Every structure is written in structure tokens, then in C-alpha cells.
Amino acid sequence: MDTRRLVDERGFAILDGFLHREHLAALAEAFLQHERAAIPMSGEILYTHTTPPVAAPGMRRLMHQWFNPHRRSPPLTTRAVASALRPAVEAWLGEPAVLFQDVLMDKDASQQPFPWHQDFPFWPVDVPAGLVIWASLDPVDEAAGGLALAAGSHRGGIGPAVDLHTGAAQAGSEGVGVDVTQYEVARPNLAPGDAIVFHPLTWHASPPNRSGRRRRVWASTWLGASARWLHARAPRHPLCKIVADGAPVGSSEGETP
């Protein structure tokens, strides 16, 4: 069964050996260069409609995260790896693809579980016409904080943007949460270079990393170019300041690698 059909039917697909050796080396180098250069990590999670609660803990409570490294210059950038993946993504989407965002992520034993959530409610986009690629640089299993996915949950519609510290719906965000006990939960084990491709409405989570190993991941988020910016869906997203409400995402400059 092909990747697109698996994503449509189950909400995700697991791709063994998706990243080539040179891709893994480039991403490992990007991690190393971010650390050496002391590039600031993401400080807060996104509250889509309201300002963060007073004294809300930062993103580092959940993971170490560098946001949008594809926009940085060599040797920090992930742009070449993203460009190499573009043909596959466009084949899955059936149209030109826009790299909406990408993230370098690491997770250690001091950090908390990542609660069940969908990615789409955090995006200022009109339709969930896209894909997320979650690719491992290290061996990943449940003990290392691997991804858990609720198979078929993408068919349940758009839920709320979740407060990633509490797991509760954010104030001002519409939609109904998920009862994951109603779904088969997959917890795939990944080798370096393996990837999970999942639908923007697939509910997913991750436990703490108790393995004593690193859990480096590069996640890239792609949109079909015909999707349109819709600021009302996530009005506090930083892109709302620079993209035209209602414009096709493919018409925005600077969003492709």
C-alpha cells in the first residue's frame, strides 16, 4: 500500500530508511552547529488565540527545540535536506508543496510528556491539506519518548489547539478533544533514518525519554500550495504578521526551501 493511501486510511505511514545517509549526516551537523553556536531554542509554546498564562512554563519543559532551521544559513540550515524530500512530498500531495515549517527536536529525561494533540489547530491555514514528516536521527522507541499515534483519529474532525503543558483545550480554540481509548494506538520503533508521515489531524503524543539515550528528531511540515492563509484559525501565529489573509500559501515568498 502506498504512503498516501496509508495516511488517508490510518492517518500515518511508517517509512523505513526514508532519510539517506547524507541526509542524516547533514541533520546531525545542523544539530551540532546549533549547539556550538548557542542558537536560542524556542522559548514558549504557541497559544493560538490568547496570550500565554502568567508564569506558564516554557517549551524547554517539554523538549529542546530549534524552530525553522531551514531559514538559517549554512552550516546551520536544513534547507538541502528539505529540498531533497520535496519531490516525494509533492507526489503524495498531488500538487506543489510549501515547506510551512521545520523543527530540530531533542528530548531528555528531565522533560515532561507531550500530551495528545493535533498539529493543524496551531496553523493559520484554511484546510488541513498537508503532511508532517517526523524523521529520527537516533534509535527511537517508547522508552526514548517515541511518537504515539491514534490510528484513524484524523477522521474525527478538527479538534482544539491544546495547551501543551496541561493537555486541555486552549481558551478561544474551538473543537472537541479526543478519547484515545476509542482508537488503536501505534507506538512505532524507528531506526536512524526512518520516518513517520502523518496527517495534520492525526492525534499524537509522546512520553518522557527514560532511555538514557538522545532522541534527536527532525520534523518538517508541508502544505499543498492551493491551501490559503486563514488568520482567524490561529491569529497569534507569527506568520499572521507577514502573510496576506486569504492568499494561497503557494503565493507567499520565503516559505519554500
Side-chain angles (χ1 to χ4, degrees), residues 105-151:
M105 300 180 285
D106 200 357
K107 191 171 188 177
D108 64 34
S110 70
Q111 292 161 328
Q112 301 299 305
F114 220 87
W116 288 98
H117 66 287
Q118 297 171 314
D119 283 359
F120 179 68
F122 294 89
W123 304 347
V125 179
D126 63 342
V127 290
L131 293 167
V132 181
I133 303 175
W134 199 90
S136 61
L137 277 69
D138 301 301
V140 173
D141 54 18
E142 184 175 0
L147 212 59
L149 305 105

Side-chain angles (χ1 to χ4, degrees), residues 162-254:
V162 168
D163 185 323
L164 297 177
H165 295 303
T166 67
Q170 292 186 18
S173 181
E174 299 179 352
V176 179
V178 68
D179 177 3
V180 295
T181 65
Q182 301 303 306
Y183 297 94
E184 171 197 351
V185 175
R187 303 179 188 274
N189 295 339
L190 306 179
D194 294 350
I196 305 170
V197 180
F198 62 91
H199 193 283
L201 296 183
T202 298
W203 287 83
H204 56 288
S206 64
N209 182 358
R210 304 300 190 201
S211 68
R213 310 186 307 267
R214 293 195 74 174
R215 196 219 68 173
R216 293 172 300 169
V217 170
W218 177 61
S220 57
T221 297
W222 301 81
L223 301 175
S226 61
R228 293 181 177 270
W229 299 115
L230 181 61
H231 292 185
R233 187 169 297 285
R236 296 191 71 254
H237 195 286
L239 280 179
C240 292
K241 298 177 182 179
I242 61 174
V243 298
D245 198 13
V249 299
S251 68
S252 301
E253 296 182 1

